[in-house]
Amino acid sequence: MKAVVHAEIPGLEGLTYGEIEERQPGEGEVSIRLKTAGLNHRDLFVLHRHKPTDPPLIIGSDGAGIVEAVGTGVEGVQVGDEVIINPGLGWQKNSDAPPAGFEIVGLPDHGTFAEKIVVPAENTAPKPAYLTWEEAGVLSLAALTAYRALFTRGKVESGMKVLIPGIGSGVATFLLQFAKAAGATVYVTSRSKEKGEKALEFGADKAIDSNEDWKEALGGEKMDLVIECVGAATFNKALEQLRPGGTIVTFGASAGDDVQINLRTFFYGQFNFLGSTMGSAEEYSDMLKFIETHQIKPVMDEVYPLSEFGEAFKRIEEAAQLGKIGFSIS
Amino acid sequence: MKAVVHAEIPGLEGLTYGEIEERQPGEGEVSIRLKTAGLNHRDLFVLHRHKPTDPPLIIGSDGAGIVEAVGTGVEGVQVGDEVIINPGLGWQKNSDAPPAGFEIVGLPDHGTFAEKIVVPAENTAPKPAYLTWEEAGVLSLAALTAYRALFTRGKVESGMKVLIPGIGSGVATFLLQFAKAAGATVYVTSRSKEKGEKALEFGADKAIDSNEDWKEALGGEKMDLVIECVGAATFNKALEQLRPGGTIVTFGASAGDDVQINLRTFFYGQFNFLGSTMGSAEEYSDMLKFIETHQIKPVMDEVYPLSEFGEAFKRIEEAAQLGKIGFSIS
């Protein structure tokens, strides 16, 4: 089958589109003929984490398709089912942190940028009927990450003021949509005027130019909750906008890893600073119910044929996108 | 009346023991003849926060004594009652953060290092009968701070592993006693071998030399909860001992204000970093019930006559104490 495979050279240069052997589903597994897949920041990181000495790897964590074969002992999933993939392997019930052995589809196991994938049957869910194949293919990783950060960790409630720095990424657009559906007032920031304007169309109550004085731009409004996934470039600016007793959740650091925090300011502010990552199967199921209830569709940026993966990676590397970048496969 | 008064010169040099005019209790207030008082780190900070241009100020937040006069409209407190003082003014019900206007006895209002004090009647509680006057006089601020940090914020539970860096201070010794009473396994650190040994006598399960490799000294045990009140000198060492999904609560920074945190390590660890300060009247009341139930007495360091305040300040400045430093007044 055709796939986007990483081998030997760290980074994008090690990536090719070509033939690779497929495998049959084992016990408890299903094989899915993928119709669409979705690109995530994680796919960029994987190109550096996957060792040159390891066997070639199909990358990609998000995908949707039709079940083509089922292994032994599989119940509740049948050939012909239209499914989406939960990319979290080995994290069932919600908990403080993922259990030992937790992995994400696309490293170390083969991922979704391929004509077919074999995954545990428990990692499939029926494709939401109101979503197109393109929308279903880009949903899982970003929407699950946003759901855990906003609900499980941030405990968002109706009436809260929520700030989302850096509104470009797929996960940030889900955060915006989820927070609005939960009844929050949502403030976003972006370096791009165009993205700020688009965010207003998607429901943001206010969009701030990242280069402005945030406090002034917010008119002195203090935030109950900040969901921060940009990193050092925005972290402290965001922290300064919290009300006493407010919460900042973080799950991304593409723009810088290290932040300096003043302990005295922090404890007098009675702040809560919480780390988050993707999420459990339980949260994935809750997220699917939530988006169906509120008929939330991913904000789509661009969809490329899988063979044009290079263009897609270029776009996410330059942070040029607003929303999700997808691939059409079959 | 006699009192320890700060005026004109910032710091210890501005402090004198001498005569100052007393006042009568107004509506809702009581006047207390103080028998004992307690010294806190806050008293050191106050010497720099109290402006040279402001009127002379009696410092001190902790005290216990006998009600001598009651103002109009006071119910439930009578002349002759033996009471301790809750130093938190204007924070009744527990909440995320203190309400606007929250102050602590001893700045801007006159404090407890005096023969008498006038406070709102609602800021008094019956002196726990099992405590001596010396123990009652040093209890409030540190025990309330420890209670909020450990229970309200840290949500300590039986069976948890709790790390308390820097076991010398009064609040740290309360943390140790409270955490043990709650059924936790408690690890402490100190630069002083003697303090470490004393902490074991007071119930600590393990005492670590601060200069050791903490991970090695803990034998690889990861902590559910760290209560950190030292500051930058220990913060990152402590953070590194948390289990995935663990919590670090901070309310002190006498050994450095600024810490650097790696966001990626933080969010992959699903950590919780929570700021805390003293506490509400509701928590004060819960704390009094808790210590009575478990018959917890403050760890007493030294008690000085109030006129020898200089010796006491020297001891706390040098962090020479283990437990609470008190004053005898009358």
Side-chain angles (χ1 to χ4, degrees), chain A residues 257-279:
Chain A
D257 276 30
D258 286 318
V259 295
Q260 190 166 305
I261 293 180
N262 183 276
L263 290 176
R264 217 171 276 279
T265 306
F266 191 87
F267 66 71
Y268 280 128
Q270 305 258 348
F271 296 135
N272 309 287
F273 170 28
L274 313 178
S276 191
T277 58
M278 207 172 67

Side-chain angles (χ1 to χ4, degrees), chain B residues 274-324:
Chain B
L274 312 178
S276 191
T277 59
M278 208 172 67
S280 62
E282 188 178 353
E283 289 161 310
Y284 187 73
S285 167
D286 290 345
M287 178 275 290
L288 290 178
K289 278 179 220 145
F290 182 82
I291 62 164
E292 186 125 27
T293 301
H294 297 280
Q295 294 283 301
I296 292 169
K297 295 177 177 190
V299 173
M300 296 303 293
D301 181 68
E302 296 280 347
V303 179
Y304 298 88
L306 189 55
S307 56
E308 289 173 23
F309 67 90
E311 291 300 305
F313 272 92
K314 194 171 159 229
R315 195 163 169 82
I316 202 170
E317 258 199 326
E318 291 171 355
Q321 85 279 18
L322 180 80
K324 292 297 303 181

Side-chain angles (χ1 to χ4, degrees), chain A residues 205-264:
Chain A
D205 294 279
K206 185 155 192 165
I208 295 170
D209 179 337
S210 303
N211 297 316
E212 280 183 84
D213 179 313
W214 290 19
K215 187 178 172 185
E216 207 170 286
L218 290 169
E221 291 281 3
K222 287 288 181 179
M223 300 294 117
D224 298 294
L225 180 61
V226 173
I227 310 282
E228 163 50 47
C229 56
V230 176
T234 56
F235 184 89
N236 283 94
K237 281 188 189 179
L239 183 59
E240 284 165 17
Q241 311 316 319
L242 273 188
R243 69 155 169 85
T247 297
I248 183 165
V249 178
T250 180
F251 61 83
S254 46
D257 276 30
D258 286 318
V259 295
Q260 190 166 305
I261 293 180
N262 183 276
L263 290 176
R264 217 171 276 279

Side-chain angles (χ1 to χ4, degrees), chain A residues 45 49 91 95-98 148 153 228 230-232 235 243-246 250-264 266-279, chain B residues 45 49 91 95-98 148 153 228 230-232 235 243-246 250-264 266-279:
Chain A
F45 303 141
R49 280 187 214 149
W91 188 1
S95 55
D96 284 354
R148 179 171 172 86
R153 301 294 275 149
E228 163 50 47
V230 176
F235 184 89
R243 69 155 169 85
T250 180
F251 61 83
S254 46
D257 276 30
D258 286 318
V259 295
Q260 190 166 305
I261 293 180
N262 183 276
L263 290 176
R264 217 171 276 279
F266 191 87
F267 66 71
Y268 280 128
Q270 305 258 348
F271 296 135
N272 309 287
F273 170 28
L274 313 178
S276 191
T277 58
M278 207 172 67
Chain B
F45 303 141
R49 279 187 214 150
W91 187 4
S95 55
D96 284 352
R148 179 172 172 86
R153 301 293 274 149
E228 163 50 49
V230 176
F235 184 89
R243 70 158 168 82
T250 180
F251 61 83
S254 46
D257 277 30
D258 287 318
V259 294
Q260 190 166 304
I261 293 179
N262 182 277
L263 290 176
R264 215 171 279 278
F266 191 87
F267 65 71
Y268 280 127
Q270 305 259 349
F271 297 135
N272 308 288
F273 170 27
L274 312 178
S276 191
T277 59
M278 208 172 67

